[in-house]
Amino acid sequence: MSMISFKLMGLLGAVFCLLYIYDRLRIDDRLRHRLNNWTLIAASLVFVAYANLLSALVLTAVTVVTWYFAKNRKYWYIGVILSVLTLGVFKYTNFVVSSAMEVFGKTGTTLNILLPVGISFFTFSAVSYLVDVHRGELEARNLEDVAAYITFFPKLTSGPIQRSGDFFGQSDRRRQVGMQTFLPGVQIFVFGLFKKLVMADRLSVFVDQVYETPMIFSSFSIFLGVIAYSFQIYFDFSGYSDMAIGAAKMLGYDLPVNFNLPYLAHNVTELWKRWHITLSTWLMKYVYISLGGNRKGKARTYLNLVLTMVIGGIWHGANWTYIIWGFLHGIALAVHKAWMTLTGSNEKKHGIPANIISIAATFLFTTFCWIFFRAPSLHSAVTIIKRMFTFQTGVNQPYFWLFVTVAMYFAAMLPAVLRSRGRELKARKLNTSFVRAEYPVLDLSKFWNLVAFFVFCGLLIALAYTGGSPFIYGNY
């Protein structure tokens, strides 16, 4: 079941109505909590099983295993191993088999193992819960609580990756589900839908052409296509995150923000504080720190950064291109950390020209790395890079929608930049001086706000690309 479907709207509507009814019944809070949990679990299993029954079975198995080994804390690591093995079997078997065949010069077909829906994201949720319980940061919960957390369908297929303690803290308290949650939630959902259907999917037309047939395009067109993909993946993935956040908000849950204007980052370290924030936080807490973090000397710190990002690349997919993508980011993080150690501070103030240069350089580096992320193979990535930097002739296609999209991106970013100036002093004291994005949620009880919202919905319908481009992170 896609997040862009009337079936999803119907499922959301049914769950909202049930939670609304539970909230107004004169029943014990514990019973209300259980009704909420089992309603969410049932809806989530329906959401997954609609794609295929195997996905629902794997999700159920991982959930039960996670609950059991968290309850038996002495053997918590077995739960982690089983979850990671499940991810490895379904996601990486084909890659390992095909790589081994290439090494030994064999030919044949891969096993074509079906990838369960959302396996990367619900595996991360399971692992984080087990580790948190082991570290004593969280008490082991009963099966229904664990199932509600791991299977929660708005975040299931593409995140955000929510910490278990955050989810339980919300589910344990009495939530007032009603128009006060539905109206902000539906606005955030529509905002994300606009990013996906109007921005990302229209860019996908040009991007797909460039990456599928790079040899026919000129160097300039390939450069534009590479830039276009940077914006496509941002609008696609942040659009899904917004839709997930909006859907959860309708049901009374707050998911963590996953993007914060990442292309305003001054360096790659700041980029990962703005891009896929919940993944970078997860990698920092459960991989980087587990590897030793910065506690074992400078050389080990740099190695841990590289290893963490390589693991992040492997998590994204079973392909050498993802490994190279993660390796490049890991090297960049290590180099930046070494530079900041050498200069002795990250609090230096820079003028406007220096800020523009650093933002542009970070964006161009990120865009270059996206080539490996998007290209179907290492050979294709190398071809695109060669074509882009050797000034080749070919079809010139200055895709108009790219320029429209960039203009809309900067127009939407401007209010956040202006608002941040008034908060700059306080933000610097909190060491969070970069600009923060905000959702444009309106008070729909006011007439003109309601008019503006429906005009926005009209623009969404008029400008939406209906070619059926799937969510990029739905593959991970």
Side-chain angles (χ1 to χ4, degrees):
M1 187 182 298
S2 171
M3 288 290 282
I4 306 177
S5 67
F6 288 111
K7 299 179 182 66
L8 185 278
M9 306 301 173
L11 182 65
L12 261 179
V15 174
F16 171 81
C17 290
L18 288 173
L19 298 187
Y20 180 85
I21 292 171
Y22 300 154
D23 190 46
R24 280 147 185 81
L25 290 176
R26 294 183 178 180
I27 57 177
D28 180 74
D29 284 345
R30 179 57 188 165
L31 177 58
R32 180 181 293 105
H33 176 73
R34 297 196 67 187
L35 287 172
N36 285 343
N37 275 349
W38 285 112
T39 299
L40 292 175
I41 294 167
S44 299
L45 291 177
V46 169
F47 178 82
V48 175
Y50 186 85
N52 57 74
L53 185 59
L54 174 64
S55 297
L57 293 175
V58 173
L59 175 60
T60 301
V62 169
T63 300
V64 173
V65 166
T66 301
W67 161 75
Y68 178 79
F69 285 104
K71 181 181 177 182
N72 297 273
R73 291 179 59 178
K74 183 178 180 181
Y75 302 104
W76 68 276
Y77 59 91
I78 298 179
V80 173
I81 292 171
L82 290 175
S83 294
V84 173
L85 280 177
T86 301
L87 177 64
V89 168
F90 283 100
K91 194 166 185 176
Y92 304 108
T93 298
N94 288 335
F95 173 68
V96 172
V97 171
S98 61
S99 296
M101 290 171 64
E102 289 180 8
V103 170
F104 294 104
K106 303 291 185 179
T107 58
T109 59
T110 58
L111 300 179
N112 293 321
I113 296 176
L114 180 67
L115 186 66
V117 173
I119 187 170
S120 296
F121 288 91
F122 67 69
T123 299
F124 268 27
S125 294
V127 171
S128 66
Y129 170 70
L130 285 163
V131 174
D132 286 348
V133 170
H134 165 67
R135 291 176 176 174
E137 298 177 9
L138 195 69
E139 291 294 327
R141 310 287 293 224
N142 59 41
L143 179 58
E144 67 184 61
D145 285 343
V146 176
Y149 162 63
I150 293 178
T151 68
F152 189 48
F153 70 93
K155 67 176 178 62
L156 186 63
T157 58
S158 295
I161 305 170
Q162 186 177 30
R163 292 279 306 282
S164 53
D166 181 31
F167 181 87
F168 295 142
Q170 297 182 56
S171 65
D172 287 347
R173 69 172 184 263
R174 176 78 177 271
R175 299 181 317 284
Q176 300 294 321
V177 179
M179 288 298 104
Q180 70 276 13
T181 61
F182 182 83
L183 293 180
V186 75
Q187 291 182 72
I188 297 172
F189 186 93
V190 171
F191 184 64
L193 193 62
F194 188 92
K195 282 184 177 180
K196 168 62 177 171
L197 294 182
V198 178
M199 314 284 269
D201 284 1
R202 286 195 172 275
L203 287 174
S204 71
V205 176
F206 179 43
V207 171
D208 290 347
Q209 291 175 353
V210 170
Y211 276 87
E212 288 171 7
T213 56
M215 297 303 293
I216 72 171
F217 288 98
S218 67
S219 295
F220 178 68
S221 294
I222 291 176
F223 174 75
L224 290 180
V226 169
I227 295 292
Y229 183 69
S230 287
F231 285 96
Q232 180 200 350
I233 191 172
Y234 167 70
F235 287 121
D236 189 284
F237 192 21
S238 69
Y240 181 96
S241 294
D242 293 341
M243 293 170 69
I245 290 169
K249 184 69 174 178
M250 295 181 210
L251 306 180
Y253 288 87
D254 292 318
L255 293 180
V257 173
N258 214 19
F259 291 86
N260 181 32
L261 300 175
Y263 295 147
L264 275 183
H266 292 74
N267 51 69
V268 71
T269 301
E270 185 181 332
L271 173 74
W272 282 103
K273 293 179 181 179
R274 292 172 172 273
W275 178 278
H276 204 343
I277 300 169
T278 58
L279 173 63
S280 57
T281 302
W282 194 98
L283 290 172
M284 175 67 70
K285 181 178 176 70
Y286 300 105
V287 178
Y288 177 72
I289 291 177
S290 297
L291 289 172
N294 59 1
R295 303 187 303 273
K296 298 185 178 181
K298 293 180 181 179
R300 180 64 180 272
T301 297
Y302 303 146
L303 177 61
N304 289 342
L305 284 170
V306 175
L307 288 175
T308 299
M309 292 309 300
V310 168
I311 291 171
I314 294 172
W315 172 81
H316 278 89
N319 197 317
W320 288 107
T321 53
Y322 295 116
I323 296 175
I324 293 174
W325 172 81
F327 178 76
L328 290 173
H329 274 282
I331 291 295
L333 286 170
V335 169
H336 180 255
K337 189 172 186 65
W339 171 255
M340 299 315 298
T341 302
L342 182 64
T343 57
S345 174
N346 60 359
E347 295 294 327
K348 290 184 177 181
K349 297 180 180 179
H350 302 288
I352 293 177
N355 284 330
I356 292 175
I357 291 172
S358 62
I359 291 172
T362 303
F363 173 74
L364 290 174
F365 170 78
T366 304
T367 297
F368 176 80
C369 293
W370 283 135
I371 295 174
F372 294 96
F373 195 92
R374 172 61 178 82
S377 66
L378 188 57
H379 178 267
S380 178
V382 173
T383 299
I384 289 171
I385 293 170
K386 286 182 177 179
R387 295 281 301 179
M388 184 169 58
F389 287 106
T390 54
F391 305 101
Q392 299 290 324
T393 59
V395 175
N396 284 309
Q397 186 176 355
Y399 189 61
F400 174 72
W401 196 256
L402 169 61
F403 299 98
V404 173
T405 300
V406 172
M408 294 174 72
Y409 173 78
F410 281 104
M413 182 181 67
L414 185 60
V417 174
L418 294 177
R419 280 195 298 268
S420 71
R421 291 188 175 278
R423 307 169 184 169
E424 185 174 358
L425 181 59
K426 180 179 178 181
R428 285 189 182 279
K429 291 180 180 179
L430 296 174
N431 197 27
T432 57
S433 59
F434 51 76
V435 178
R436 296 187 176 277
E438 296 178 11
Y439 289 114
V441 175
L442 302 174
D443 180 1
L444 296 186
S445 64
K446 297 180 179 179
F447 175 75
W448 288 112
N449 287 348
L450 191 63
V451 170
F453 176 67
F454 279 112
V455 168
F456 183 75
C457 292
L459 288 173
L460 167 60
I461 295 171
L463 297 176
Y465 174 73
T466 57
S469 178
F471 283 101
I472 293 174
Y473 264 71
N475 299 321
Y476 307 131

